[in-house]
Amino acid sequence: MSDELVPEPKPDFIVTARVCQTNAEQFPDVLRLYVPPPAKVLDMTYGNGVFWKQVEGRYNVTKNDIDPARGTTHHDFARLPSAWRERYDCVVLDPPYLGVGGIETLKSSIDRGYKNRARAKADLAGIGAVRRIYTGGIIEAWRVLKRSGILVIKTMDQVESGQQNWLHVDLMEMCRILGFKNEDLFVYVNKNMPTMRHEYQLHARHNHSYWIVAKRSP
C-alpha cells in the first residue's frame, strides 16, 4: 500500500469568498442558498446576462435593461410598472455606474444605456450619485418583491478623492432602514490584477467586490 496521503474530497458547501474569473462562477452559489428554482426572478439591470451563464433555464427570469438592445423589457429600474407590485421571489440589482475617475477611458459598452459620461458632465457622478442610484433600486425592489422575497445586490467599494468609501456597508444599512433583513455577504475575489491609472497610490487597490443578500420583511 502506498504511504502517500489521499486528499479528502472537496466538501459540498458554499463559502463566503471565492477567487473567480467572472461573476457567473459565484452567482449560482448565492442562488443555491437563497433562491431555489424555478423562482420568479427580476434582473433589474440585465445587461449582457453574464450572471446567468451557468444557470440558464433554471429560473423564470424577467430580463430588464433600459438599453433597448439588451434584455426583454426596458424600464428604468427605479420606475418599474405599477402592475409588478409583489410579483417576484427574487430581485437582482447591479446598476452600471462609474464613480468619478476613468470617464474619458470608459468603454462604450459600459457607458451605453446608463450614460455615465452624460451624468459626469451634468455633475451627477461621484459616490453620492452612486448611492442614490442604488437607493432607487432598493426602494423599487421592495415594492416588486413578494413578502420574504430575496434581494441580491452586486457592488464594489470606491475610492474618491483619496478617500475610501465602504459602499457595501452603506447599502447594507440602507437595506436595513428600508425594511430588509441582511442575510449574507459573499466576496468575489478577482483573478485579474486591478489596473493603475496613476504612478502612486494612497490606498490598497480593490480586487474584490460583494454580493449582498437581503430579505424583504414578511
Side-chain angles (χ1 to χ4, degrees), residues 21 31 88 102-103 124 127 153 186 192-193:
Q21 191 72 45
L31 297 180
Y88 293 97
I103 290 292
L124 296 175
I127 192 65
I153 303 173
F186 292 77
N192 301 318
M193 291 296 293

Side-chain angles (χ1 to χ4, degrees), residues 1-8:
M1 180 180 293
S2 172
D3 292 331
E4 294 182 3
L5 293 176
V6 178
E8 292 290 330

Side-chain angles (χ1 to χ4, degrees), residues 6-47:
V6 178
E8 292 290 330
K10 293 182 179 179
D12 186 26
F13 56 70
I14 294 168
V15 294
T16 55
R18 284 186 60 186
V19 179
C20 301
Q21 191 72 45
T22 70
N23 287 303
E25 295 177 42
Q26 193 174 35
F27 185 54
D29 290 352
V30 180
L31 297 180
R32 179 179 160 194
L33 275 182
Y34 292 100
V35 190
K40 183 178 289 186
V41 182
L42 168 64
D43 191 329
M44 302 176 102
T45 47
Y46 182 76

Side-chain angles (χ1 to χ4, degrees), residues 74-170:
H74 309 293
H75 306 287
D76 181 337
F77 65 82
R79 296 177 179 84
L80 298 171
S82 58
W84 289 9
R85 182 178 183 86
E86 296 190 359
R87 173 180 287 194
Y88 293 97
D89 302 301
C90 173
V91 168
V92 179
L93 173 62
D94 179 32
Y97 67 85
L98 196 70
V100 175
I103 290 292
E104 296 305 319
T105 58
L106 182 63
K107 292 181 179 180
S108 296
S109 61
I110 296 175
D111 191 53
R112 193 173 85 192
Y114 284 87
K115 313 303 181 188
N116 285 291
R117 288 192 183 94
R119 272 207 301 271
K121 290 179 180 178
D123 199 27
L124 296 175
I127 192 65
V130 172
R131 289 192 185 102
R132 290 191 292 274
I133 290 169
Y134 271 103
T135 300
I138 294 169
I139 291 171
E140 194 67 342
W142 168 271
R143 187 180 68 83
V144 301
L145 274 170
K146 297 177 182 177
R147 297 177 185 274
S148 299
I150 294 294
L151 171 61
V152 179
I153 303 173
K154 186 71 198 299
T155 192
M156 184 174 183
D157 294 334
Q158 304 287 307
V159 175
E160 181 176 302
S161 301
Q163 178 66 47
Q164 292 274 14
N165 292 279
W166 311 113
L167 187 56
H168 80 282
V169 175
D170 296 340

